Amino acid sequence: MKALSPARTVQELKELRSLTSDEHGAQRVAFTETWARARAWLKDRMADLPVEVHRDEAGNLWATLAGASEKALLIGGHMDSVPNGGWLDGCLNVLAGLEVLRRIHAECGGRPPVTVRLVDWADEEGARFGRSLFGSSAAAGSLNPDEVSGLTDKDGVTLPDVLKAHGIDLDRAPEARGELLHAAAYIELHIEQGPVLENLGLPLGAVIGTVGVERHIVKFTGQAAHSGSTPMDRRRDAFLAAGNMAQEIYAIAARSGGVCTIGSCTTRPGIVTSVVEECVITLDQRHLDAGRLAQMWQEAQDSARRFAQEGNVEVEFSRLWHIEPVPFHPDLIECCDAAIRETCGTGHRLPSGPLHDAAEVARAGVPSVMMFVQSLRGISHNKIEDTRVEHLELAVEALDRLAAKSMGWILRQG
Amino acid sequence: MKALSPARTVQELKELRSLTSDEHGAQRVAFTETWARARAWLKDRMADLPVEVHRDEAGNLWATLAGASEKALLIGGHMDSVPNGGWLDGCLNVLAGLEVLRRIHAECGGRPPVTVRLVDWADEEGARFGRSLFGSSAAAGSLNPDEVSGLTDKDGVTLPDVLKAHGIDLDRAPEARGELLHAAAYIELHIEQGPVLENLGLPLGAVIGTVGVERHIVKFTGQAAHSGSTPMDRRRDAFLAAGNMAQEIYAIAARSGGVCTIGSCTTRPGIVTSVVEECVITLDQRHLDAGRLAQMWQEAQDSARRFAQEGNVEVEFSRLWHIEPVPFHPDLIECCDAAIRETCGTGHRLPSGPLHDAAEVARAGVPSVMMFVQSLRGISHNKIEDTRVEHLELAVEALDRLAAKSMGWILRQG
């Protein structure tokens, strides 16, 4: 009997999809009932393994297969999704990791040479409160409860209240840091969520690091005025200034080689008969080079100020999130590339544009690496997100090989 | 004793404000409890006059001072406001009209040569259901109940249900048409809601007509995609196309001499980590010339299609509202201009950018005119809406003169 069953992972992904999706896609938004149901289902799947399961102070779920050494290989992922999300984002990683745990348990008779821990991070997406990587940043020691205690969802419910409803005390979340005490390596599989591997015709890639991110709210404030009686040259139109930013960010991205996104635009009073008084846009900028990232954000501010001045409106900026570019560990990148080449013949190395929990873990000093599997059409955060079944199965195989190589690497570190 | 007391009108406006406003402004939204309270207060103010008061099938409130002739001069306004509105919009007209009724009654011993009727139109603003001029369009015969029966407010409550709660049967609303049977002239005073009179340093102006309006929803549809992993040249960004429209409408308005407004912009999924898949904007275009209005709307569609094509997104249009330009009656414009010149020395003629009930009445064939009084800073639909007290008093005087001239004009029509 073959211990590793990639087909079982695909089967489990489909089962999870039927349990936690509706006609609009996956609905496993963190700290909702559907997310809690997904986790309960995950715990059921672990019942056959001799793992110790507990939730830490930040709501991350840990399953530990104790080994001869307390040094631990961590395999991470996240069960939470965006609203109307895809069937793979986050949960592929957890379920592939679970399959790897099964193989290691079967092969090592319950006592592997190093400890192996599977972690389901809490609220990777930040879809409800705009703050990504909640659980992993708590474990990494980069979460400051004071900075997020004022966050509210679109219904005005606060993050601390939502956490409390799920048994989590925000003030104690940083205590999750203890979980990384013996962490010796961290590996994470993820769908690429972009078109690079598909364009190259490759199933898998080794991720060399995650890009840095500058994420801000840009608020333009003009003056509400009647749409029929206010001459065009007297208007202080907040939407005009914001609209100018829509094309400007393409020019900024083109100059630097990074990416810029305006993902949300809201208007107030937001009625058909009034000039827009307040227009709020979100701006997300990413680059693998810290200097160029800083330059992109500076150019965005300069442009926004110029458009505001031209339109006689005010502009304010507030930072939502910032992370420096995070390079992964060179030895583990080698392990990952080797695992991929052994699995499908050809390797490729690429940076990650999306943020991942791995960036938080790596920032905390744990040697880390990620592996990407091809996304069809490069689409994610959407119900049409998909990956070929044969590629999913190759990914489970390659992750298993990476786990084995990483365990060997940990032992060699002495 | 002077029969006309403009100071009393100002006093009554302040009393109404204290009764129906909160710290955010006026809250007399049609078909709410506050609106009903404003109307009950209005009826109390009429108790001393020998007027017949009734509500028609569309919820308009009529106070009739019977005259020697059944031919009627109508004086109109509306007690309803937008949410967080100003203290003058709509109710100045009603209370100034009430003061004119008092003067006519005092001067003519209760029996004027023609019948004089004050009307408080129901739901001029359309703030709750997006459909302006409800009551006046019913009286004018241009309201089709089937076209509005599906309207809902933001809580999903339907217009027919709200009307029913206020004793109005939507299907019977068109019967209000009978109210215009003997209407021989219609006059309406309103704050300008724009900066033209203030810029000219004039208190009052005669309105030559209301502009035509094309009001549409423009929906751009692209593809949601991850903000970090999707190269800029692969994006189908609905906000990019919509943002281009923000400046384009200024060019369109400049070419035609009309006004164009994008009042609302919504984005989906509307999250910081995704390219915008769907961006919906509202477009309101106004011009006094029907041909140029049509041209403006054509140019907006052409531009939207071009931006959509350039950005590889789709665009759809749906009409929210349309009204042709409505010229007022030349004789009544002369009467209005003369009344203004007699009151404050200098006249000015201007079109109305905002819609008013007068447009519906004029479309129904009743000779009509409006008079504007200066708005400070051109601001309306906002709690800072204001007009100098001396200008308000001049407006009541000039409206009274216009009423006298209009009655003379009616009698001369034979």
Side-chain angles (χ1 to χ4, degrees):
Chain A
M1 195 184 102
K2 195 180 171 190
L4 188 82
S5 170
R8 175 163 52 194
T9 302
V10 174
Q11 188 50 45
E12 287 176 337
L13 284 165
K14 289 177 178 172
E15 192 178 321
L16 179 66
R17 174 168 63 183
S18 69
L19 193 71
T20 58
S21 302
D22 60 21
E23 71 273 28
H24 304 297
Q27 305 299 345
R28 297 182 304 274
V29 176
F31 312 123
T32 63
E33 203 183 312
T34 304
W35 172 75
R37 194 160 64 238
R39 275 208 162 168
W41 173 87
L42 175 64
K43 280 195 264 192
D44 283 348
R45 311 302 302 181
M46 296 171 171
D48 292 340
L49 285 171
V51 288
E52 179 273 327
V53 177
H54 74 272
R55 205 174 68 164
D56 69 22
E57 292 84 349
N60 304 307
L61 187 74
W62 295 86
T64 303
L65 184 65
S69 164
E70 65 181 359
K71 284 189 180 179
L73 167 67
L74 311 186
I75 308 177
H78 59 93
M79 296 298 274
D80 75 288
S81 74
V82 296
N84 307 326
W87 72 299
L88 300 170
D89 184 358
C91 56
L92 164 64
N93 331 346
V94 179
L95 295 173
L98 174 61
E99 191 58 30
V100 171
L101 264 192
R102 289 181 182 126
R103 193 273 305 163
I104 293 172
H105 167 250
E107 195 171 291
C108 308
R111 190 161 174 84
V114 301
T115 296
V116 185
R117 307 184 70 195
L118 178 65
V119 54
D120 167 24
W121 300 111
D123 202 4
E124 192 267 355
E125 299 288 0
R128 185 165 167 192
F129 295 95
R131 172 60 156 84
S132 305
L133 312 184
F134 175 80
S136 53
S137 65
S142 59
L143 177 78
N144 180 344
D146 293 342
E147 282 175 6
V148 298
S149 61
L151 294 177
T152 55
D153 70 8
K154 65 178 195 293
D155 298 321
V157 183
T158 69
L159 175 62
D161 284 348
V162 165
L163 292 176
K164 194 179 297 171
H166 286 264
I168 300 161
D169 177 352
L170 175 59
D171 290 331
R172 292 193 53 201
E175 296 175 27
R177 198 161 183 182
E179 299 290 344
L180 296 191
L181 193 59
H182 300 293
Y186 176 84
I187 63 174
E188 183 176 342
L189 166 69
H190 208 285
I191 54 168
E192 183 200 334
Q193 306 179 282
V196 175
L197 291 172
E198 188 181 37
N199 286 351
L200 293 169
L202 294 176
L204 299 167
V207 183
I208 57 177
T210 62
V211 298
V213 180
E214 282 283 0
R215 190 179 289 171
H216 293 83
I217 284 174
V218 184
K219 181 166 95 171
F220 295 97
T221 306
Q223 174 64 56
H226 196 289
S227 62
S229 61
T230 313
M232 301 304 283
D233 61 0
R234 290 288 300 261
R235 297 183 175 205
R236 299 179 56 212
D237 183 347
F239 183 67
L240 174 59
N244 283 333
M245 289 298 288
Q247 36 185 317
E248 184 69 9
I249 62 164
Y250 280 76
I252 292 171
R255 279 195 293 275
S256 71
V259 290
C260 301
T261 306
I262 295 173
S264 164
C265 175
T266 57
T267 49
R268 277 200 276 193
I271 56 177
V272 66
T273 54
S274 175
V275 173
V276 174
E277 174 153 325
E278 182 185 291
C279 187
V280 176
I281 57 174
T282 60
L283 177 63
D284 179 284
Q285 300 183 290
R286 306 189 186 211
H287 206 292
L288 196 58
D289 179 83
R292 291 196 169 206
L293 177 61
Q295 179 61 29
M296 282 167 65
W297 169 226
Q298 187 58 52
E299 289 184 17
Q301 291 172 83
D302 293 346
S303 302
R305 289 202 180 92
R306 188 174 76 247
F307 295 138
Q309 192 173 17
E310 287 169 7
N312 194 21
V313 302
E314 309 292 322
V315 63
E316 283 172 70
F317 308 98
S318 55
R319 180 179 266 178
L320 281 172
W321 172 257
H322 166 78
I323 189 168
E324 291 289 318
V326 178
F328 288 145
H329 195 283
D331 292 354
L332 293 178
I333 295 172
E334 289 299 329
C335 289
C336 186
D337 194 49
I340 289 170
R341 282 183 280 107
E342 287 168 25
T343 305
C344 61
T346 313
H348 181 72
R349 299 181 187 209
L350 73 171
S352 172
L355 278 175
H356 293 288
D357 294 305
E360 286 289 356
V361 181
R363 285 212 292 173
V366 180
S368 302
V369 75
M370 291 186 72
M371 180 187 293
F372 277 169
V373 59
Q374 185 191 112
S375 287
L376 289 172
R377 301 172 298 265
I379 300 299
S380 182
H381 287 188
N382 189 291
K383 67 173 176 178
I384 69 166
E385 165 191 293
D386 206 3
T387 292
R388 288 197 189 89
V389 166
E390 59 267 34
H391 289 175
L392 292 174
E393 295 187 358
L394 287 174
V396 179
E397 269 186 56
L399 180 70
D400 187 53
R401 285 197 170 95
L402 171 59
K405 289 176 193 296
S406 302
M407 288 165 75
W409 179 81
I410 291 170
L411 290 171
R412 285 196 303 277
Q413 303 309 299
Chain B
M1 194 184 104
K2 193 181 172 189
L4 188 81
S5 170
R8 175 163 51 194
T9 302
V10 174
Q11 189 49 48
E12 288 177 337
L13 284 166
K14 289 178 178 171
E15 193 177 323
L16 179 65
R17 175 169 61 183
S18 68
L19 193 71
T20 58
S21 302
D22 61 21
E23 71 273 26
H24 304 297
Q27 306 298 345
R28 296 183 303 276
V29 177
F31 312 124
T32 63
E33 204 183 312
T34 304
W35 172 75
R37 192 159 66 238
R39 274 209 162 167
W41 173 87
L42 175 65
K43 279 197 265 191
D44 283 348
R45 310 303 301 180
M46 295 172 173
D48 293 340
L49 286 172
V51 288
E52 179 272 329
V53 177
H54 74 271
R55 204 175 69 165
D56 69 21
E57 292 84 350
N60 304 307
L61 187 72
W62 295 86
T64 303
L65 183 66
S69 166
E70 66 180 1
K71 282 188 181 180
L73 168 66
L74 311 187
I75 308 176
H78 59 94
M79 297 298 275
D80 74 287
S81 74
V82 295
N84 306 327
W87 71 300
L88 300 170
D89 185 357
C91 57
L92 164 64
N93 333 345
V94 179
L95 294 174
L98 174 61
E99 191 57 31
V100 171
L101 263 191
R102 288 181 182 127
R103 193 275 301 162
I104 294 172
H105 167 250
E107 194 172 293
C108 307
R111 190 161 173 84
V114 299
T115 296
V116 185
R117 308 184 70 193
L118 178 65
V119 55
D120 167 25
W121 300 112
D123 202 5
E124 192 267 354
E125 299 288 0
R128 186 163 167 194
F129 294 96
R131 172 58 157 88
S132 305
L133 312 184
F134 175 80
S136 54
S137 65
S142 60
L143 177 77
N144 180 346
D146 292 342
E147 283 174 5
V148 298
S149 62
L151 293 176
T152 55
D153 69 9
K154 65 177 194 293
D155 299 322
V157 184
T158 71
L159 175 61
D161 283 349
V162 166
L163 292 175
K164 194 179 296 171
H166 286 263
I168 300 162
D169 177 351
L170 174 59
D171 290 331
R172 291 192 55 199
E175 295 175 28
R177 198 161 183 182
E179 299 290 343
L180 296 190
L181 194 59
H182 300 293
Y186 175 85
I187 63 176
E188 184 176 341
L189 167 69
H190 208 284
I191 53 168
E192 184 200 334
Q193 306 181 282
V196 174
L197 292 172
E198 188 182 38
N199 286 351
L200 292 168
L202 294 176
L204 300 167
V207 183
I208 57 177
T210 60
V211 298
V213 180
E214 283 284 359
R215 191 177 289 170
H216 294 83
I217 284 174
V218 184
K219 181 166 95 171
F220 294 97
T221 306
Q223 174 64 57
H226 196 288
S227 62
S229 61
T230 314
M232 301 305 283
D233 62 359
R234 290 286 300 261
R235 297 184 175 204
R236 299 179 56 212
D237 183 347
F239 184 66
L240 174 60
N244 283 332
M245 288 299 287
Q247 37 185 313
E248 183 69 10
I249 62 165
Y250 281 75
I252 292 171
R255 279 196 293 274
S256 72
V259 290
C260 302
T261 306
I262 295 173
S264 164
C265 175
T266 57
T267 48
R268 278 200 275 191
I271 56 177
V272 66
T273 54
S274 175
V275 173
V276 174
E277 173 153 325
E278 182 184 290
C279 187
V280 176
I281 57 175
T282 60
L283 177 62
D284 179 285
Q285 300 182 290
R286 307 190 187 210
H287 207 292
L288 197 57
D289 180 82
R292 290 195 170 207
L293 177 61
Q295 179 62 28
M296 281 167 64
W297 169 226
Q298 186 59 51
E299 288 184 18
Q301 291 172 83
D302 293 347
S303 301
R305 288 202 181 92
R306 188 174 74 248
F307 294 137
Q309 192 174 17
E310 286 170 8
N312 195 19
V313 302
E314 309 292 322
V315 62
E316 284 171 69
F317 307 98
S318 55
R319 180 179 265 178
L320 280 172
W321 171 258
H322 166 77
I323 190 168
E324 290 290 317
V326 178
F328 288 145
H329 195 283
D331 292 354
L332 293 178
I333 295 172
E334 288 300 328
C335 290
C336 186
D337 193 49
I340 289 170
R341 281 183 282 109
E342 288 168 25
T343 304
C344 62
T346 313
H348 181 72
R349 299 181 187 208
L350 73 170
S352 170
L355 279 175
H356 292 289
D357 294 306
E360 286 289 355
V361 181
R363 284 212 293 172
V366 180
S368 301
V369 74
M370 291 186 73
M371 179 186 292
F372 276 169
V373 60
Q374 186 190 112
S375 287
L376 290 172
R377 301 172 297 265
I379 300 299
S380 182
H381 286 187
N382 190 293
K383 69 173 176 178
I384 69 166
E385 166 191 292
D386 205 4
T387 292
R388 288 196 189 90
V389 166
E390 58 267 34
H391 288 176
L392 292 174
E393 295 187 358
L394 287 174
V396 179
E397 270 186 55
L399 180 70
D400 186 53
R401 286 198 170 93
L402 172 58
K405 289 177 194 294
S406 300
M407 288 166 75
W409 178 81
I410 291 171
L411 290 171
R412 287 197 302 279
Q413 303 308 300

